[in-house]
Amino acid sequence: MKVRHTLICFFFLSALQDGNNGFILYTGTEGGDVTVQCSSSSSSGSRKILCKDPCKEEDIIIETTDDRAQKGRFSIERSRGDVSVTITQLTKSDSGLYGCGIKSSYRLFEILVVDALLDGDYSEEKTFYSRSGGNILVGCSFTTSRTRKYFCKGGCEEEDILVETTSLTAQRDRYSIRYVKGSPSGGFVYVGITQLTRSDSGRYRCGLDRTWSPDSYRGFNIVVTDAPTTSEPNQAMTSSVPSASTATTTQSLSSSSGSSRAPTRGVWLYAVIVVVVVVIVIVSGLVLMIFCIWRNIKPDGLNTSRTSEGTNMEVTFFSSVLTLTVGYSWLPFISLCRV
């Protein structure tokens, strides 16, 4: 989660893990910017560096003799003899020890990037949203200093204490606490949770234990949601590919099957039409032939068949039948009706 404004606090550490004193700690919120003054009275053209501890050759971020240089989100500048560095768009991976200034005598400082710094000047408790597997680090500012520092969940009863200490730092499983004394009074308590799970959702407190008065604490809420995994999209893609392939195959088979059946239906339909037409022609021809024969028969019946006209009629009749059988022509019928 990113907080779009920058919160920067300056204070001296009473001790660090390497035993050195005097390192300056700069606290910034994720997504914000931080500027650090490294050294003063540097001459123009001197070699200036910005590096990450232990500042070996491979740890150097910027090295220049110019008055200004930039590399990505990191920049170094000399102005009126003072050397300063700026880091923009802070991420949690920027936390750590740095060195900056003149290469021959650079100064070490620490940057701590938090999700938010709670100072008590708010009417409602803040809520932080994070994904499963993520980390969260919250700073709590106090105007008083106490020996016992604690980090708890829920009602903060004895069984709800996640980690507590009278030292400067302490860690218990995934929970950590760090205390830095302020100047001239007060202090800062930093509490963190790594590898968040959905069960980490809830209300928390970071506080100072006060024996004869109510504890001084800062409350906040954490909401953890499931993080999308890379395997889920891959599984979805894997399942969708066979599905699409199967659909394509089915469609292809349907098309080829339909095209193979279409010619068969066409042949049968054509054959039926031809048969129907032939039957209609034959029946019509027979009807017309009968009509014409009936029309040309003489009243004296079969005796007329012996006359020359009767002979012509019979010849015409048999000619008409032969022509109908062979050529399906209507002309013989017309000529027959004219006899």
Side-chain angles (χ1 to χ4, degrees):
M1 185 191 73
K2 293 185 177 181
V3 180
R4 293 301 178 186
H5 58 280
T6 305
L7 296 174
I8 304 176
C9 297
F10 305 93
F11 46 87
F12 291 93
L13 295 178
S14 57
L16 291 178
Q17 292 181 352
D18 59 6
N20 295 327
N21 297 324
F23 292 162
I24 301 178
L25 175 64
Y26 294 83
T27 303
T29 57
E30 191 174 18
D33 306 333
V34 63
T35 298
V36 178
Q37 182 175 337
C38 304
S39 63
S40 60
S41 302
S42 63
S43 60
S44 179
S46 58
R47 188 168 295 276
K48 299 167 283 293
I49 67 167
L50 169 63
C51 58
K52 201 160 188 178
D53 191 63
C55 286
K56 295 182 179 180
E57 192 66 30
E58 62 273 15
D59 303 318
I60 295 178
I61 301 172
I62 299 176
E63 182 175 359
T64 182
T65 56
D66 298 333
D67 287 341
R68 178 174 174 80
Q70 182 171 352
K71 182 178 180 181
R73 300 181 295 109
F74 302 86
S75 63
I76 188 169
E77 183 178 9
R78 175 186 176 275
S79 177
R80 297 179 181 178
D82 296 332
V83 178
S84 62
V85 297
T86 300
I87 306 175
T88 61
Q89 294 296 307
L90 289 167
T91 65
K92 288 184 178 179
S93 61
D94 293 327
S95 296
L97 283 175
Y98 291 83
C100 71
I102 307 302
K103 187 174 183 180
S104 58
S105 59
Y106 58 85
R107 178 181 299 175
L108 289 176
F109 65 93
E110 183 181 4
I111 290 180
L112 187 61
V113 182
V114 298
D115 290 278
L117 184 62
L118 309 179
D119 57 6
D121 295 332
Y122 54 89
S123 57
E124 296 182 1
E125 292 184 352
K126 291 184 178 294
T127 299
F128 303 100
Y129 297 88
S130 183
R131 295 280 192 178
S132 296
N135 306 327
I136 192 167
L137 182 63
V138 178
C140 303
S141 172
F142 297 97
T143 56
T144 59
S145 178
R146 291 293 182 270
T147 302
R148 178 177 174 267
K149 286 77 63 176
Y150 63 89
F151 179 31
C152 61
K153 185 179 181 181
C156 286
E157 301 295 335
E158 191 64 31
E159 63 274 12
D160 300 322
I161 301 296
L162 303 174
V163 58
E164 61 179 337
T165 184
T166 56
S167 302
L168 297 177
T169 61
Q171 184 166 349
R172 178 186 176 190
D173 298 329
R174 299 180 296 114
Y175 310 100
S176 62
I177 189 170
R178 177 182 178 182
Y179 177 75
V180 178
K181 182 175 174 56
S183 178
S185 62
F188 300 84
V189 176
Y190 296 92
V191 293
I193 307 175
T194 61
Q195 294 297 312
L196 288 164
T197 64
R198 292 191 63 180
S199 61
D200 290 323
S201 297
R203 185 175 183 273
Y204 293 83
R205 289 182 187 178
C206 51
L208 300 175
D209 183 16
R210 295 192 292 186
T211 306
W212 305 108
S213 60
D215 292 351
S216 177
Y217 65 86
R218 304 285 181 258
F220 58 92
N221 301 291
I222 296 177
V223 177
V224 183
T225 58
D226 288 331
T229 60
T230 55
S231 60
E232 292 178 355
N234 291 338
Q235 291 175 357
M237 291 177 64
T238 304
S239 61
S240 63
V241 170
S243 177
S245 176
T246 304
T248 303
T249 305
T250 304
Q251 184 177 3
S252 175
L253 291 174
S254 299
S255 300
S256 61
S257 177
S259 61
S260 63
R261 290 195 298 267
T264 304
R265 291 198 299 267
V267 170
W268 281 105
L269 181 61
Y270 178 79
V272 171
I273 293 175
V274 170
V275 171
V276 172
V277 171
V278 170
V279 171
I280 292 175
V281 171
I282 294 175
V283 172
S284 300
L286 291 175
V287 172
L288 182 58
M289 183 184 66
I290 295 172
F291 174 77
C292 292
I293 294 174
W294 176 80
R295 179 182 176 186
N296 289 293
I297 293 178
K298 299 297 182 178
D300 54 353
L302 295 175
N303 293 331
T304 59
S305 62
R306 296 184 180 93
T307 64
S308 60
E309 293 179 356
T311 302
N312 293 335
M313 181 185 68
E314 290 175 359
V315 173
T316 304
F317 172 76
F318 288 111
S319 175
S320 301
V321 173
L322 180 62
T323 304
L324 175 62
T325 305
V326 177
Y328 302 106
S329 174
W330 288 88
L331 293 178
F333 302 115
I334 297 174
S335 61
L336 181 64
C337 291
R338 290 179 179 177
V339 176

